Amino acid sequence: MFSPDASIHASISSQRNPRRRQRTHSDDSVATRRPTKRPRKPLAEDTFEPFPDEKTNGHTQELPAVNGHALPGRSTRDASSETTSLAYRPGKKQDREKRGGKGDGTVTLTKNDNYIVAQLPALPDHIRANKAERMRSIISAKTGHAVALTQTRAVIWPYVASNSSPDPSKTYTFTLPHPTKNSSDALPLGALVSSSGSSEPGLVVVMPIIGRITYWEDISTAATEDLMKQKQHGFQGTTGSMLFGETVTQITSAEPAGFVLTFSTGRIAHLSVRDPQGKPAVSVRMLRSNGGNPTGTLLGGLKNVFGGGAWNSDVAAVRAGSSRSRGQRDVIVATSRAVLQLWDLNWSGNDSFRYEIDIENDLLAALKDGGAAFADQSEHAFEILDFAVATTNENSKEIATVSGDRGVRLLVLTALAGKGLTKYALVEMTMTKGSVIVDVVHPITYYTTPISPSQQWKPRVCLPDPSQTAFVVFETAVVLVSLVRIEDSPDSQLLMDSHKLPQPFQDVIDFRRDGGYEVIGCGAENQGGTNKHPSCALMIRSFGIVRVAAFPAKEGTDALDRAKISAKTKIEQAVFYGTMSQNLIDFAGRSEIRFAHEEVEAAALEISDQILMSTSDFIPAITPSLDHQLKLRSAALKDLIRHLNKNYPILSRLTKWKLMWNAEKMAAARAVWKNYDASLKTKGKDKSSLLSDLVEMLHERFKTETIPELGEADPVRHWFIKDIWRIEYVVPWAYNAVQELYKEGTKDHPTLLRLISEANDISLGALETAFKFRQENASLYGLEGELILDGILKSGYEGLPEIWTSTKPTVFTTKLLVNFAREMAFKYLDQPPAEGEPEPSVVKKVAEENARQVQVCCQVCVERYRWCKAQDDDQKRAEGEQLKHAHFAMRKAQFTKLADIGLAEKGIALAEKYQDMKALVDLIVQAAGKTGAQLQRAGLSEEEEEALEQWMDVIQQRMGSYFHKFGDQWARALYTKHIAEGRLANLLDDGVDYQDFLTRFLRSDPAYAKISWINEVVSERNYEEAACTLVNQAENQETILWSKKIELSLAKLAGMAASEKAGVVDKKERNKHEQIDDQLALMNIQEQIYSHVEPTIRAAIDEKAEVELVMAEFGKQAVEGKPALRQVLEHGFIKLVNRQVLSTEEIIEVLTLMDEVSYSNEQFGGQEFFLAARALKLSGLAKHEPELGTLLERILWRRCMIRDDWEYINKTELKDDTEVEIETGATALFKTFKEGYKIGIVRPCNPISSISIADRRSGFWEGADAVQPPTPDDVLGAGCTTEDLRDRYPEGAEDHREPVARDMTTEDDLLQYYIDKGRLDQWFPGVMAAAKQSVRNDADAAGEAAKKRKEMDKMIEEGFKEQDRQFRKPAQVNGISDGEGDFGMDL
């Protein structure tokens, strides 16, 4: 199995006499090989002093300090100061000093206040081309070299070189001897060896399966041997006899004593690469304990080996401790079961086992007390994963000896496996004289991922000097843990007492899972020399070498302040480094690291603000290209929201809006800068611009002042760097600056046009870009649920602060700029160029931009008034409503005036976009009229006429298309314009093609009823709708009596036509006809009133005189002493003589307040109150408005009752019945009752139970809906309070209520007087009965007279018949002798 030569070589080396006298410095073979020109330091006790990087953890790593950060101001020694010239050649120091410096080629992968992660550039081309190849890596910070071992090859290079491809002369690649045939076998193990005679280190390689060992004194020799294809490679040996299935798993440097090999069975061996004389030779000695330790040894002697228990233990780690003498090194072994062993190794081969300690119980107790254990009581798998040896104190890099009083400080990595997660912890302990003391436990709370059994990499602890930060290296992550103790202070004491003292700082650097990034080697880099900070170098598969360096605490920041990871730090790293191409770090965040919702939002807004203000440390404030700097800031804002969406999706609505507003401002500023930069390039020597003047004019509150002493000499660039967050102040000043310059004397129009052009660049560049950005990126900012149209939020402004794009100054100045620019462009547009006038190109630019200005003006106005109307402040809401109406009026003018500067088509497009139909109609009609006028122009050629006709056809087609596109909205605007211009006939004639739109338009507004009913009859043949339209017009719109009568008559006629068309007259139609008849009857009453007063006004010269005459005749007695009621009567007479329609209330008031005046030729006098009662019944108020109807009825009857002097009537002494009957028969109450009984619309209060046939025939009781007159007591108090008159005088007429109520009270007092003094309440039923009897008597008399007339008619008829018979008899011959026969002769 093994090579015989190698076995013999190893056995001979091991049998050399250990007591052979060592060579002195005079005959040292190594010394004799040194150059004679430079005396070398002889071999002494400190020649083999352990290397600084190996004092700590045996990974060839360097040591750090506590919180992962070296304490500021600490003096540290360079690693070179601790080694002799034999181990290290100072002449090569210059190469290592390039590491980490500026311009060293490193690429920063992430950085914050606590650490930095950077990719080192040096990587051999072979590895770069085969990054995913299986390999193992060794990193030695001391030598500055890295080793990559594959199954067959070794590659060694200076990993701190600044070139991406290291110097070929310093990169060594050679083939390994005895490679395995199976590519899946364990990879070779190796370690760099300090070389005493060369500038390059040596290398020892162990083949883990076959146990073959090869040592090269320096790597250049190895490469040379490979190049020469020599059969013998270096110095070879073997591990000796290996058990079945046993492999070598670890090789740990314990120089100057040699190396320690760890086997998979748990055995360990001492590997030496020099013999006792210092010559290169490979020898291996198994380390066996004497078995005498009370606790039992892990690795025993031969008895234990064959017993099968010693090597079954799993060795977690082997680390070199201190060196107490020349060639000696303490070695500490830790098993996964928490057993520590101490070995004493010597380069001479005198190795000895010291003791072992079982620390499992101590660790578990410490983990429980330190909060690193599970809360449940179930058992969890516990193990030690790794450990490191630390320096004794913060001010010393020396490692204490185990046998010393102070002991040795260990940092142990433990794991407690649970279900789905593992709790890791770093335990600081002191090992001394066979015992340990646990000092402190650092739970790793931010990393709980279990270790997969398939992982090749085992977690390692790197602890570089000054031992303030530990780097725990997992296969796909690195955990930084601060070891700095939180100093005692009142704050820390309070937190400790309340059990809220935070753990020292820790963080996790995760690798992305999609790149196959896995750690294959690591090494600690101590602070000192070119290393400003303690760090850890990692060799990562598929990537290269990465350095993680810990920063010291900033001045004024203590460990307590640094203990907590802030959300801002995590988000910043993701934003500024997460988008780098081929960055191996995963910035998504771990589930163990959670931040409060409020902290995330505050951090996001702070980062966004810092980007906007250029105060972020991650973006340079000054770059040669400002546009590039703005682009970087814009990209950072976009990366910010993408990261938040992916990892912190639950953001408040307000936060999302604020983040988007910041991004809008950045995009707007970049657009403004591009316009400004372009203008500078096109200008000649005169570089003055509006923007530079504007920035100078801005108040100091709105900008950051430049400091010339610091070289800040460009105010414009300075504003774009520092003040973009205040861009809302610059936008309105685009116009204000022009005005200010005009006031200061810039009045020539060429300059003004140029300034206006540049003002447009600022205003349009900012606002157009902002609205476009908002529209396109709303979903990116999580606002996809918001209804944003054209960059404007349609609703949902509640809870949002004032939006920067629509501040009050912005709205105001944008409107002014639109108008000013249009007026200036209109003045010079299409004018031939002349000296002293604006350049045509500038005029054309300003004109063409006006449509865009109008568009932006609409956007800012709409956004402003919507926001104002959504506020709680009444003043703001009123402002919003006012702005809305003003904007709609202004918008139409802005759209239509675009035609004045040749932008009619854009005006039409804007009107279509905003669906401003009035503006669209005006523009289309204007275009059609202009085209029509051109067609009428004389002298047109056929081509011109044809072109104009085609354009007219296009306009007509466009108008037609609007009916389908905008529907009734367009039709309403178009037809309204027809009506406004008096083209009613055209409306009915031209609307045939779009009859449905015309009909809906005419029906939509009662004001069009006079046209609508014609359209219903002529075009729609809808007689029923025509009837309804006419009725509505007559009842609700018509004010002229004659017109109303005609409209109701036509409505009745249309209703009859509709019934005839339907072929049936149902109850509903009959009711409609009856309602029309009632309205016509009501108008007939008004006609009767007019006919009654008409003789009085015949001699009047004007309307005023007519009213005066009528009032003088009919307004004297009833309204005397009642000024309010007199005014009511006068108002009714005014409408009456003007032939206007009186309402039911006005008819009743005129009839009941006018004096009774009778003329000889008419019978109106005495019927006033009856006609008022009939008008009330015909109006239907009792059904539709019962409260008002009841009030009018009570007022009517009260005035009827008080019209006569009942006190006088009640004085019946010395009066016979005939006289009393005559007096009561002359009262208005009697006349009203009698008229009612005549037509049967009134019934008495107490109707008799039996009604005679004569009564029925008289019609007194006809109709089930007859009116029942109220008694005097019923009408008392009617209308005497303002509340009673609310229905009579609604809102808008409140001033009439109180004076009318006073006059009503006067009437009421009179009625009460007549009740008290004239017994009106007792007379009332008697008068009613007398009126009824009078009607009956009149009816009986009329019946008797009719009977007599009938009898007389019958007698006359019979006489005529008899005479007719006598006339038809033949004549007699003899006749009558006396004169009697003359009658017959005459006949």
Side-chain angles (χ1 to χ4, degrees):
M1 177 177 180
F2 303 108
S3 169
D5 297 337
S7 300
I8 295 172
H9 177 77
S11 61
I12 293 174
S13 299
S14 63
Q15 292 176 6
R16 287 176 179 167
N17 185 2
R19 296 184 180 180
R20 180 176 176 180
R21 181 178 62 85
Q22 301 298 318
R23 292 175 178 167
T24 64
H25 64 277
S26 60
D27 57 354
D28 191 341
S29 61
V30 178
T32 58
R33 292 196 298 269
R34 293 175 181 161
T36 58
K37 293 182 180 180
R38 185 178 180 183
R40 308 298 292 178
K41 183 177 178 180
L43 287 175
E45 185 174 346
D46 61 347
T47 301
F48 297 98
E49 190 172 277
F51 304 123
D53 57 330
E54 294 162 354
K55 292 178 184 178
T56 335
N57 57 19
H59 288 314
T60 66
Q61 303 171 357
E62 300 182 4
L63 299 176
V66 193
N67 196 11
H69 318 291
L71 292 178
R74 172 172 308 164
S75 62
T76 55
R77 289 186 292 151
D78 195 314
S80 62
S81 64
E82 294 190 354
T83 57
T84 64
S85 59
L86 178 64
Y88 178 75
R89 176 167 294 180
K92 295 296 181 179
K93 179 179 179 180
Q94 184 178 359
D95 293 337
R96 297 200 318 277
E97 289 178 345
K98 296 179 182 179
R99 178 179 54 193
K102 293 183 179 179
D104 59 358
T106 60
V107 177
T108 301
L109 304 178
T110 188
K111 181 182 180 182
N112 55 38
D113 291 340
N114 300 313
Y115 59 85
I116 180 173
V117 182
Q119 181 183 18
L120 302 186
L123 193 67
D125 295 337
H126 171 77
I127 299 178
R128 194 183 303 277
N130 301 278
K131 289 183 178 180
E133 183 180 6
R134 286 185 68 227
M135 65 180 66
R136 192 192 304 273
S137 180
I138 306 135
I139 298 177
S140 173
K142 175 185 177 345
T143 65
H145 287 81
V147 181
L149 296 174
T150 67
Q151 293 284 12
T152 61
R153 185 183 297 271
V155 181
I156 308 173
W157 73 99
Y159 75 92
V160 294
S162 60
N163 297 326
S164 59
S165 295
D167 187 352
S169 64
K170 298 180 181 180
T171 302
Y172 306 99
T173 303
F174 51 88
T175 304
L176 296 177
H178 316 294
T180 59
K181 297 180 180 179
N182 193 341
S183 60
S184 62
D185 286 346
L187 291 168
L189 301 171
L192 289 171
V193 184
S194 59
S195 177
S196 60
S198 172
S199 61
E200 306 295 346
L203 175 67
V204 59
V205 176
V206 180
M207 308 305 289
I209 296 178
I210 61 177
R212 299 302 295 265
I213 302 171
T214 306
Y215 166 62
W216 294 271
E217 272 196 289
D218 59 74
I219 53 179
S220 59
T221 303
T224 302
E225 291 176 351
D226 185 66
L227 184 63
M228 301 292 294
K229 299 187 182 299
Q230 296 182 6
K231 294 183 179 180
Q232 180 67 31
H233 284 272
F235 301 92
Q236 299 190 17
T238 182
T239 58
S241 298
M242 296 175 64
L243 302 177
F244 179 75
E246 185 179 38
T247 60
V248 181
T249 58
Q250 296 181 41
I251 178 171
T252 305
S253 175
E255 291 192 275
F259 300 87
V260 178
L261 300 179
T262 303
F263 294 83
S264 58
T265 56
R267 295 194 301 166
I268 59 176
H270 180 194
L271 167 64
S272 178
V273 295
R274 292 189 180 275
D275 60 17
Q277 287 75 36
K279 294 181 179 181
V282 177
S283 62
V284 177
R285 297 180 295 278
M286 288 296 175
L287 300 179
R288 308 179 190 278
S289 64
N290 55 19
N293 189 31
T295 59
T297 60
L298 170 67
L299 305 174
L302 185 60
K303 178 179 179 181
N304 290 333
V305 173
F306 288 105
W311 56 81
N312 288 331
S313 298
D314 183 10
V315 175
V318 178
R319 300 290 175 259
S322 60
S323 176
R324 292 176 283 109
S325 61
R326 187 184 64 178
Q328 183 272 340
R329 196 76 181 266
D330 289 341
V331 173
I332 305 171
V333 180
T335 70
S336 61
R337 303 303 301 172
V339 175
L340 296 179
Q341 286 187 336
L342 179 62
W343 290 82
D344 185 351
L345 269 61
N346 196 288
W347 71 300
S348 63
N350 296 325
D351 307 325
S352 63
F353 171 75
R354 302 280 297 280
Y355 56 83
E356 71 177 25
I357 312 169
D358 189 343
I359 61 173
E360 182 175 8
N361 293 333
D362 296 327
L363 288 176
L364 289 175
L367 293 176
K368 184 177 181 181
D369 294 340
F374 289 93
D376 56 69
Q377 300 299 322
S378 58
E379 294 186 1
H380 301 279
F382 170 76
E383 63 177 326
I384 289 180
L385 299 177
D386 193 21
F387 73 95
V389 181
T391 54
T392 56
N393 56 64
E394 297 180 355
N395 297 319
S396 174
K397 296 176 69 173
E398 299 295 337
I399 299 177
T401 60
V402 180
S403 59
D405 295 334
R406 293 177 298 176
V408 62
R409 290 176 58 208
L410 302 181
L411 185 64
V412 181
L413 174 63
T414 66
L416 201 60
K419 187 176 181 180
L421 60 87
T422 299
K423 287 196 171 185
Y424 302 97
L426 287 174
V427 182
E428 290 189 61
M429 61 174 58
T430 303
M431 178 179 178
T432 177
K433 297 182 179 179
S435 64
V436 294
I437 299 174
V438 176
D439 298 320
V440 64
V441 175
H442 303 281
I444 298 177
T445 56
Y446 293 160
Y447 188 88
T448 59
T449 304
I451 300 173
S452 172
S454 61
Q455 285 185 193
Q456 299 296 318
W457 176 264
K458 290 186 177 181
R460 294 290 183 264
V461 178
C462 289
L463 190 60
D465 282 341
S467 299
Q468 292 182 334
T469 299
F471 300 83
V472 182
V473 183
F474 293 91
E475 186 173 48
T476 58
V478 178
V479 180
L480 287 80
V481 180
S482 171
L483 306 180
V484 173
R485 309 290 175 84
I486 296 178
E487 297 180 0
D488 291 337
S489 66
D491 291 339
S492 63
Q493 187 63 41
L494 288 174
L495 292 172
M496 183 178 297
D497 294 341
S498 59
H499 303 287
K500 295 181 179 180
L501 185 66
Q503 293 292 332
F505 168 82
Q506 62 177 267
D507 199 359
V508 181
I509 302 169
D510 259 318
F511 303 154
R512 287 178 15 220
R513 301 293 186 269
D514 57 353
Y517 303 122
E518 297 174 353
V519 177
I520 58 176
C522 65
E525 297 178 320
N526 294 332
Q527 176 177 320
T530 57
N531 263 2
K532 296 181 180 179
H533 311 291
S535 56
C536 175
L538 310 172
M539 180 63 182
I540 300 175
R541 187 192 319 276
S542 303
F543 192 79
I545 294 184
V546 170
R547 174 183 290 141
V548 183
F551 292 149
K554 290 184 177 180
E555 185 176 355
T557 304
D558 57 19
L560 184 61
D561 295 331
R562 304 190 66 194
K564 183 178 181 297
I565 299 178
S566 67
K568 180 175 181 289
T569 297
K570 282 295 183 183
I571 297 173
E572 279 180 331
Q573 289 179 268
V575 169
F576 296 106
Y577 297 104
T579 57
M580 291 175 55
S581 60
Q582 299 180 349
N583 194 334
L584 64 84
I585 300 177
D586 185 0
F587 295 98
R590 298 188 60 84
S591 60
E592 299 92 339
I593 305 176
R594 286 290 176 262
F595 303 105
H597 178 74
E598 295 76 12
E599 183 185 357
V600 172
E601 291 193 343
L605 291 174
E606 184 179 358
I607 294 170
S608 181
D609 291 342
Q610 287 180 347
I611 295 172
L612 219 58
M613 300 176 186
S614 292
T615 57
S616 174
D617 296 333
F618 302 94
I619 297 178
I622 300 177
T623 59
S625 170
L626 181 59
D627 182 63
H628 177 67
Q629 199 255 7
L630 295 174
K631 184 177 180 181
L632 290 177
R633 292 156 70 185
S634 298
L637 290 173
K638 193 169 188 178
D639 294 338
L640 171 62
I641 191 59
R642 284 176 173 172
H643 177 72
L644 293 173
N645 288 338
K646 183 177 180 181
N647 299 281
Y648 309 99
I650 305 177
L651 295 176
S652 68
R653 178 173 179 257
L654 179 57
T655 299
K656 294 175 182 178
W657 273 103
K658 287 183 177 180
L659 291 172
M660 185 167 71
W661 288 334
N662 280 356
E664 291 171 7
K665 290 181 178 181
M666 183 60 66
R670 191 178 177 200
V672 173
W673 169 258
K674 285 183 176 180
N675 290 335
Y676 173 73
D677 191 49
S679 68
L680 292 180
K681 293 176 181 178
T682 57
K683 289 181 179 180
K685 295 181 180 180
D686 181 16
K687 293 288 185 177
S688 63
S689 68
L690 177 67
L691 186 58
S692 59
D693 294 333
L694 185 156
V695 173
E696 183 179 351
M697 293 178 187
L698 278 178
H699 192 275
E700 59 184 9
R701 291 179 302 169
F702 307 141
K703 64 181 179 181
T704 303
E705 294 289 348
T706 59
I707 305 176
E709 294 79 3
L710 299 180
E712 297 172 350
D714 189 343
V716 175
R717 287 178 182 267
H718 191 72
W719 186 91
F720 278 97
I721 294 172
K722 297 291 184 180
D723 298 310
I724 287 176
W725 61 283
R726 293 186 278 206
I727 194 174
E728 60 268 29
Y729 300 108
V730 167
V731 174
W733 266 93
Y735 173 79
N736 292 341
V738 177
Q739 292 296 313
E740 289 296 322
L741 292 172
Y742 180 82
K743 293 176 183 178
E744 292 175 3
T746 306
K747 299 183 184 298
D748 59 295
H749 286 190
T751 304
L752 279 178
L753 260 297
R754 179 183 62 80
L755 293 175
I756 291 173
S757 174
E758 294 183 13
N760 286 348
D761 292 340
I762 297 172
S763 179
L764 293 176
L767 295 176
E768 276 187 338
T769 304
F771 287 123
K772 181 180 180 182
F773 182 95
R774 189 181 303 166
Q775 184 69 45
E776 295 176 351
N777 293 275
S779 58
L780 176 63
Y781 283 83
L783 298 171
E784 60 275 359
E786 306 275 356
L787 185 56
I788 299 177
L789 300 176
D790 204 20
I792 306 170
L793 185 63
K794 190 169 185 180
S795 61
Y797 287 87
E798 294 79 6
L800 295 180
E802 185 179 41
I803 303 175
W804 76 273
T805 49
S806 57
T807 62
K808 195 171 184 178
T810 298
V811 174
F812 180 71
T813 56
T814 301
K815 292 188 292 185
L816 294 177
L817 182 60
V818 170
N819 297 332
F820 188 37
R822 183 185 62 249
E823 292 170 2
M824 292 296 295
F826 176 72
K827 187 172 183 179
Y828 293 99
L829 192 65
D830 298 330
Q831 296 292 328
E835 185 178 355
E837 292 187 354
E839 295 181 9
S841 60
V842 177
V843 175
K844 183 179 180 182
K845 173 181 179 294
V846 172
E848 291 177 349
E849 289 174 342
N850 199 251
R852 293 164 56 197
Q853 286 181 295
V854 172
Q855 157 78 23
V856 167
C857 185
C858 291
Q859 289 172 295
V860 297
C861 287
V862 171
E863 184 176 73
R864 178 69 185 181
Y865 79 67
R866 285 177 181 173
W867 178 82
C868 288
K869 291 178 68 175
Q871 303 310 301
D872 296 331
D873 183 30
D874 293 338
Q875 188 175 357
K876 283 293 183 186
R877 289 200 298 270
E879 177 190 336
E881 195 64 34
Q882 181 180 3
L883 177 60
K884 179 180 179 181
H885 291 104
H887 166 64
F888 286 158
M890 174 197 67
R891 184 180 69 181
K892 178 177 180 292
Q894 288 180 338
F895 289 170
T896 55
K897 286 183 178 180
L898 286 173
D900 297 342
I901 54 176
L903 300 178
E905 281 299 309
K906 291 187 177 180
I908 291 173
L910 285 171
E912 290 179 2
K913 179 178 181 178
Y914 287 96
Q915 298 187 12
D916 191 331
M917 296 297 106
K918 292 182 179 180
L920 187 58
V921 167
D922 286 351
L923 287 166
I924 288 292
V925 171
Q926 180 182 358
K930 183 178 180 180
T931 306
Q934 290 175 339
L935 282 170
Q936 299 298 323
R937 193 174 57 193
L940 291 176
S941 64
E942 293 184 1
E943 292 80 4
E944 290 176 337
E945 185 175 359
E946 182 179 358
L948 288 173
E949 288 177 350
Q950 290 178 354
W951 177 238
M952 180 64 78
D953 291 340
V954 170
I955 294 175
Q956 296 295 334
Q957 292 173 5
R958 181 179 289 181
M959 293 177 66
S961 67
Y962 288 155
F963 282 98
H964 304 289
K965 186 175 183 178
F966 300 115
D968 293 329
Q969 198 176 2
W970 161 257
R972 187 180 304 111
L974 180 63
Y975 295 146
T976 300
K977 189 170 183 65
H978 273 280
I979 293 175
E981 295 180 354
R983 293 186 279 119
L984 299 180
N986 293 344
L987 181 63
L988 294 176
D989 293 340
D990 299 341
V992 176
D993 295 336
Y994 306 100
Q995 183 62 44
D996 292 342
F997 293 99
L998 176 60
T999 300
R1000 284 196 296 271
F1001 166 73
L1002 294 175
R1003 290 177 180 176
S1004 65
D1005 193 338
Y1008 307 140
K1010 292 186 177 182
I1011 308 174
S1012 179
W1013 78 270
I1014 300 175
N1015 177 70
E1016 298 292 348
V1017 173
V1018 175
S1019 301
E1020 297 291 339
R1021 299 291 191 270
N1022 191 338
Y1023 304 116
E1024 182 178 2
E1025 184 65 30
C1028 293
T1029 301
L1030 286 166
V1031 170
N1032 291 333
Q1033 167 66 17
E1035 293 182 349
N1036 303 316
Q1037 302 293 325
E1038 192 57 69
T1039 60
I1040 305 301
L1041 183 64
W1042 181 86
S1043 298
K1044 183 175 181 179
K1045 196 171 184 177
I1046 296 298
E1047 288 162 358
L1048 288 174
S1049 300
L1050 289 172
K1052 186 175 181 179
L1053 183 62
M1056 295 171 62
S1059 300
E1060 183 179 351
K1061 183 179 180 181
V1064 61
V1065 181
D1066 55 11
K1067 184 177 180 180
K1068 182 178 179 182
E1069 289 298 323
R1070 284 195 297 271
N1071 290 337
K1072 290 181 178 179
H1073 295 170
E1074 291 175 359
Q1075 291 174 3
I1076 294 175
D1077 290 339
D1078 289 345
Q1079 291 294 316
L1080 290 171
L1082 192 60
M1083 284 187 292
N1084 286 333
I1085 293 175
Q1086 183 175 342
E1087 289 283 4
Q1088 285 181 266
I1089 301 173
Y1090 181 80
S1091 297
H1092 179 59
V1093 302
E1094 191 268 338
T1096 307
I1097 63 175
R1098 288 175 183 172
I1101 59 176
D1102 55 21
E1103 294 179 357
K1104 183 179 180 181
E1106 289 177 347
V1107 176
E1108 292 176 351
L1109 291 173
V1110 171
M1111 287 298 295
E1113 183 72 15
F1114 298 96
K1116 293 184 294 185
Q1117 298 176 0
V1119 293
E1120 184 180 2
K1122 304 165 188 173
L1125 293 180
R1126 177 182 174 84
Q1127 186 178 0
V1128 170
L1129 177 61
E1130 184 178 1
H1131 176 74
F1133 277 147
I1134 291 173
K1135 296 181 69 174
L1136 180 69
V1137 299
N1138 288 326
R1139 309 295 285 161
Q1140 295 180 358
V1141 177
L1142 295 177
S1143 66
T1144 302
E1145 300 95 305
E1146 291 171 333
I1147 291 176
I1148 292 173
E1149 286 169 341
V1150 169
L1151 288 169
T1152 59
L1153 291 176
M1154 67 186 294
D1155 296 336
E1156 181 180 344
V1157 178
S1158 298
Y1159 296 98
S1160 59
N1161 61 343
E1162 57 96 17
Q1163 300 295 323
F1164 183 84
Q1167 297 185 12
E1168 291 89 350
F1169 292 101
F1170 164 70
L1171 291 175
R1174 187 163 181 251
L1176 181 62
K1177 177 178 173 60
L1178 291 172
S1179 68
L1181 285 175
K1183 295 180 180 179
H1184 307 308
E1185 298 182 66
E1187 292 183 359
L1188 178 59
T1190 302
L1191 174 65
L1192 293 173
E1193 183 184 38
R1194 293 173 66 198
I1195 293 173
L1196 181 158
W1197 284 102
R1198 181 178 65 197
R1199 291 174 181 168
C1200 179
M1201 293 174 188
I1202 66 175
R1203 179 57 63 94
D1204 301 286
D1205 188 352
W1206 287 97
E1207 182 183 14
Y1208 172 79
I1209 296 171
N1210 186 54
K1211 295 178 181 180
T1212 58
E1213 56 185 352
L1214 302 178
K1215 295 179 181 179
D1216 56 26
D1217 287 344
T1218 302
E1219 186 178 357
V1220 174
E1221 288 178 357
I1222 292 173
E1223 288 179 353
T1224 57
T1227 62
L1229 187 62
F1230 182 88
K1231 294 176 182 179
T1232 303
F1233 282 147
K1234 187 172 182 178
E1235 290 296 328
Y1237 280 123
K1238 283 182 181 179
I1239 63 175
I1241 70 166
V1242 179
R1243 65 172 182 271
C1245 296
N1246 299 308
I1248 59 177
S1249 58
S1250 61
I1251 303 175
S1252 65
I1253 295 176
D1255 292 336
R1256 292 178 183 276
R1257 187 171 58 250
S1258 69
F1260 296 158
W1261 307 106
E1262 288 182 358
D1265 58 347
V1267 175
Q1268 180 177 353
T1271 66
D1273 292 333
D1274 292 336
V1275 300
L1276 279 172
C1280 293
T1281 65
T1282 56
E1283 186 64 28
D1284 292 343
L1285 297 174
R1286 185 176 296 276
D1287 293 328
R1288 174 62 186 93
Y1289 299 102
E1291 293 184 5
E1294 299 92 339
D1295 296 340
H1296 295 281
R1297 293 176 189 170
E1298 187 173 348
V1300 170
R1302 285 197 299 266
D1303 289 354
M1304 293 284 190
T1305 303
T1306 302
E1307 291 182 346
D1308 211 55
D1309 293 341
L1310 183 59
L1311 176 61
Q1312 185 66 52
Y1313 180 80
Y1314 286 152
I1315 293 174
D1316 295 339
K1317 301 298 182 180
R1319 298 186 296 171
L1320 178 58
D1321 55 337
Q1322 298 179 30
W1323 280 98
F1324 185 80
V1327 172
M1328 182 184 296
K1332 177 181 177 182
Q1333 185 61 42
S1334 177
V1335 171
R1336 184 181 292 119
N1337 292 339
D1338 291 346
D1340 289 343
E1344 289 297 330
K1347 183 178 179 181
K1348 289 181 180 181
R1349 286 195 300 271
K1350 186 176 181 181
E1351 290 176 353
M1352 182 62 70
D1353 291 342
K1354 186 176 180 181
M1355 290 175 61
I1356 294 173
E1357 184 180 358
E1358 288 296 330
F1360 276 112
K1361 288 181 179 180
E1362 182 62 25
Q1363 288 181 5
D1364 185 61
R1365 285 195 300 272
Q1366 291 296 331
F1367 178 79
R1368 296 181 183 277
K1369 287 183 180 182
Q1372 296 185 5
V1373 175
N1374 293 324
I1376 301 176
S1377 58
D1378 53 9
E1380 297 290 333
D1382 291 339
F1383 176 77
M1385 290 300 291
D1386 293 337
L1387 293 174

